[in-house]
Each structure stands twice: as structure tokens, then as C-alpha cells.
Amino acid sequence: MGLSVTEKILAAHTSDPLVRGETIRIKIDQTLTQDATGTMAYLEFMSMGLDRVKADLCVSYVDHNTLQNGFMNADDHEFLQSVANKYGIIFSKAGNGICHQLNLENFAKPNMTILGSDSHTPTSSAMGALAIGAGGLDVACAMAGRPFSLVCPKIVNVKLSGALRDGVSAKDIIIHLIGIMTVKGGVNKVIEYSGEGVKSLSVPERATITNMGAELGATTSVFASDERTLEYLSLQGRAEDFIEILADDDAVYDEVYEIDLSTLKPSISCPSMPDNVKTVDELLGIKVNQVLIGSCTNSSYYDFIKVASILKGKQISPSVSLGIAPGSKQVLTMLTKSGILEVLLDAGARILESACGPCIGMGQSPCSDGVSLRTFNRNFYGRSGTKSADVYLCSPEVAAYSALKGEIADPTGLKLDLWQMPKKDDFVQNSSLFVYPKFDGEVKMGPNIKPLPKFEPIGKNFKAKVMISLPDNITTDHIMPAGGNVLPYRSNIEKISEFCFYQIDEKFHDDCLANGAGVIVAGANYGQGSSREHAAIAPRFLGIKAVIAQSFARIHKKNLINFGILPIETSFKADKFDEIQIEIDDKFNTKITNLTQKHTQSVKVLLNDEEKALINAGGLLNL
């Protein structure tokens, strides 16, 4: 029986048998962090007492918190750069670009394993790598040379046939698939793409698909390393990094989906969840106030060629604010030299910094009750900074054409004049904003950087109050929001905990402190979205000992365990509970007694032996 691309990369990085559903430990070749999660990851790494990182390559990017309103973000960037210099980490300064675009351009290689403290780390899997998002503590352990534990994933094959029509793009492929599989359809699965249709997709187009595959809840998404991979690496001056990795003809997959690209229509993720998918022709005429093009999903040079081809010689609608954010310094330089930037400016676009920006709630909030059309990957409620706004996700082609019309418009059939397709010499190699380590100096810690809180084990028998009861698909944005007023406190758990669930229940923080031990009750797919471990640390700091849910998102469940919170899976919704008692025996058989209604029920705690040890110890750092 042949092997898939996923199995070949996993087999090269573990000695464990690849048995679906069993825990395997894989060697990590590269780690990446960004500044919203990296400060905590490096505090955790420093607590381990090592004198340098042990992984082959570690990169620290600054791209999320570039809005320096007050000393906090600037201090944290100094901290990150000083840690990188002392411990052997490459540091990417603010303005260099978005971590995933930069990693694809500079560091990702075929057959490499990459663990990143950002849920969109799978972007680099477009290169024939196995790139996985994780919590900061798991990334800190990988920096220390510790293998990464994960459930050996099921492998889903998505066969692409045919060719995309004019006006239809890679973004439409992944939005269409999310509409089919839903935001929880990829949990503990790898999505592997194959078929003749793959050959027509460049690496940047594949990266759009692997990036937004995170919204399926998938462990990662993977493309083969083939002639298109070599083409991209050659353009980046890295042809020597190419290794061919193809699936065997007789590879066996757990699930198979087939998509005929020639019949695909432009699609949109409607408010306020990526799997609320409709085709553009179902939404024609909806007035648009704002259009934003960029983020780690669609900020490549290729994306902006298409946008410029639609806008060339035209003016956007007077009712629309158009913002564009090139994904890296390289992309911005190429846009400038090619004349594309001038085309975009002449059409009425605003140039934003090469950073995450509006996608993480850093500026560009839409107007009250506005409609914002974005080429981003997430449209969770409140994430834009304006609760009353409707945020739609779409392709660059839909975004640009709609900006011209002032309403959602269908670009199907548009003949794009891609007059500035790049040649090898057009790809500018400039590393001036990368700082390479010298292994010296002291770590600089500003007053906003606080020591890691210490947590005692939750114990085998405890009473607790239900502090909040929640529906399905609660995201880490619901638990611990981002944005300019929250993220500056990412290295200050006591302060950032004040924002925990505040978009849902403003009293959550105060009630938790007043009540002591507490639990959270939720429906299915609890904790989907961002990898931010603050969504586990802050509740733990507030006394949360367990989360009772119908199911969990992969990264968040691991973050809960890493900080000693018990994840309890149950088929019932405990929303009528007030006070409960939880009993855990040595084998982690668990009973919940509803002290309000006087009945007891056995529940599942699905943990392997390593995870049970973490709960007993009060978390990974304790262990």
C-alpha cells in the first residue's frame, strides 16, 4: 500500500507507527512565533533554563501588534528582539511583513516540519512541508528540542479536476470546501490536495488554500512538492531547497472529496462564521462600505496583479473605503517597481502597513451597521472591532470588482490583463529587516511583562460553579478577544484576564474572582479559531478548573491540558447546572454531580497517558 504526501513527511519525522487516532511524537525542524503569542512562548521557553534553542531553525516575527499606542507593544518588541539575540532565534522586525508570507518566501522547505504559535502556520504546507499551528507552550517545548505530540490524523484527499474560469480563484476553492466540511469537519485530519487541477495552481495560490484550511479545524493542509514548487523556489533564489515529494499512485485516504474547478463559482463566507457560505450570485447588490485586501491569506504579489488588472484606469465607488496591505516588504517593493502600486493608488486605494492589521482587529474597523468585504480568513463576531458590522470573506477578484461597483458583484468571466507577471529578476531579495542572533546581551523586560502565573493541580474531587454556558462553535476570539485594547497585555495575564469573555458577559472576570473554583459549559467545537493560549491561561488564572463541552477544537484542547484545565466531553449540554461536583479516579473515569438538580452522570475525559500526567501536575510547565 502506497503512502500519501502527509504520511511520507510524518514517517520521516517519527519512529512511531502511523496508526490513525493514536498519539505520535514528531521531530520539529522549525518553529515560528508572532508577537501576539510569542511573548508568552518565550517567557515559557526562558523558564526552562536552557542557554539556546535546540530546534534547527527558529524565527520570531513581529506582525500583529504594530500599532504602538503606548509603551507596551514597543517594550514587547524589544523583549522579543533581545530574547532572539540571546537564545539563537532569527528576528523579523515590524514592517518586514506577515509571518506566513515571509516564511513561505524565506524559510519553508519541502519535507520540513514546522510548528508555529499561530493557527495559520499551515500556510507553509503549500511548499510540500508539514506546518502545524499550536499553542505557545508547545512551540516553546519544540524550541527546547522536545518532540511534538499529536493525534495521528486521518487524511482527507481533495481531488481537483478541470481548470478555474476567469474571475474564479483559489480562494473560491477553499471557501467552497469549508461550506461542505464546516468549521469542525477537519478536526484531527490533514487535508491533502491532488489531481490534475493542482498543477494549474502556483505556490501562492496553494498557500491561500492551506492558510484558510485552518478554518476547517484541520491539523494542516498539504500539497505535493512538484514542478510548481521548484518554480516558486527558483523565483525566490532557493532552488537548492527543492525536494520532490509526491503521493504514491496507490496511496489510501480516509475520505475523498472531488471538486471540478471548471464548474466552481465565486463564493463568499457570510457573517459571522467562515462556513456560512453562499455563492456570489446569491448576494448580488448588497451595498458595501469597506473593502480590505491583504492579510496572511491573500497578500501575495499574484493577488495584487489581479486586483490591479480589475482596477486599472478606473475609480472605486465613492461609497467604498478600499484598503490594501501587501504581505511582505518583498511584495511591496515589487508592486512599487512594477507600477502596480501606482495603479492601486490612482484607483483610490489606501495603503496599509505590511502587517496583520485589520484581520486581528488592529485598525480599519468598519462603520456602525456597515458591510465590510475582506479577503481575510476569519469573520467571527466582533473581530473587526465593530459589533454591528457584517463582515464577508471573499477572493481578491470579488473584492476589487465590488469596490468598483459599490456593492457585491460577480467577476465571473472577467478577462484579466495580467500585464506585470513577474520574472525571476523581479523577485527582490532584501533581508535588511531580518536580524540574525549574536548569542549575547541581556533580555530586556518592560514593566508590562509579568512573571508566568503558577497553577496548582485541580485535584481529584472539587466543587465548582458554572460560570458561563455557551453554544456551539465558540471561538478563541469569544474567550479572549484580540484588538488594539487587549493585545498589548499579552504578556500580563492578570491584566488580560479582565477581557475574558467580555464581549459575551462583561461580569465574567469579576464573578470568577468572587466565586473561586469554576467551570465553563459549552456545545460542540469549543475553542476553534486562533491558537492563542491566553484563551486557556486567562480562565485558569480566574479559577476555571474544567470545561465541559460536546467537543473541542484541536489546538485549544491541547492548550487547556497544557495549563491544567480538565477538558470533559459529554453528549449533554449542562446549561441548567448551577453548582456541580466533579470526581476523578486514578484512571480518569469522571463523574459530575449536579448539586442543583441532585443527579450524577458519568462523562468522558479523552486523554492519553502523557496528558493525564499534565493534568495531575497542574500543567506542562509544572511537569
Side-chain angles (χ1 to χ4, degrees), residues 151-166:
V151 173
C152 185
K154 292 183 177 179
I155 304 172
V156 178
N157 183 214
V158 178
K159 290 184 176 180
L160 305 180
S161 61
L164 294 168
R165 294 178 292 163
D166 292 329

Side-chain angles (χ1 to χ4, degrees), residues 569-587:
E569 299 189 41
T570 176
S571 59
F572 67 90
K573 178 87 168 355
D575 54 359
K576 299 189 185 305
F577 286 8
D578 179 18
E579 189 171 17
I580 64 175
Q581 180 162 323
I582 295 179
E583 298 175 66
I584 312 162
D585 68 20
D586 289 338
K587 295 183 178 179

Side-chain angles (χ1 to χ4, degrees), residues 313-492:
K314 303 180 179 68
Q315 290 283 309
I316 63 170
S317 168
S319 64
V320 171
S321 173
L322 171 63
I324 64 169
S328 68
K329 183 180 177 183
Q330 181 191 74
V331 173
L332 179 56
T333 302
M334 291 173 66
L335 294 178
T336 304
K337 289 189 172 184
S338 66
I340 289 175
L341 185 60
E342 183 178 2
V343 169
L344 299 174
L345 292 173
D346 287 347
R350 301 169 63 181
I351 304 300
L352 310 180
E353 188 174 16
S354 294
C356 299
C359 185
I360 196 65
M362 286 290 183
Q364 299 296 310
S365 295
C367 62
S368 297
D369 304 316
V371 170
S372 180
L373 203 57
R374 302 177 169 206
T375 66
F376 300 175
N377 41 42
R378 288 186 178 144
N379 59 343
F380 301 148
Y381 171 74
R383 185 177 171 97
S384 71
T386 304
K387 291 183 180 180
S388 65
D390 285 333
V391 176
Y392 295 79
L393 308 176
C394 67
S395 70
E397 292 92 330
V398 171
Y401 198 49
S402 299
L404 287 178
K405 301 294 184 182
E407 60 188 33
I408 292 179
D410 187 354
T412 303
L414 280 183
K415 295 286 186 182
L416 301 185
D417 176 18
L418 304 181
W419 82 99
Q420 288 290 18
M421 285 296 285
K423 305 177 184 64
K424 186 176 187 303
D425 292 342
D426 295 329
F427 279 77
V428 180
Q429 312 301 326
N430 188 328
S431 60
S432 63
L433 291 179
F434 282 115
V435 181
Y436 286 79
K438 296 180 179 178
F439 301 95
D440 63 7
E442 296 300 318
V443 173
K444 300 176 181 179
M445 298 181 69
N448 189 49
I449 299 177
K450 303 296 183 183
L452 290 168
K454 296 185 183 300
F455 300 126
E456 295 298 321
I458 59 173
K460 295 294 186 70
N461 188 323
F462 59 89
K463 291 181 181 179
K465 286 198 169 186
V466 174
M467 302 310 304
I468 194 168
S469 184
L470 301 159
D472 293 348
N473 295 323
I474 286 294
T475 71
T476 49
D477 278 73
H478 289 110
I479 305 166
M480 182 48 63
N485 62 329
V486 180
L487 285 180
Y489 301 109
R490 59 201 175 274
S491 51
N492 184 341

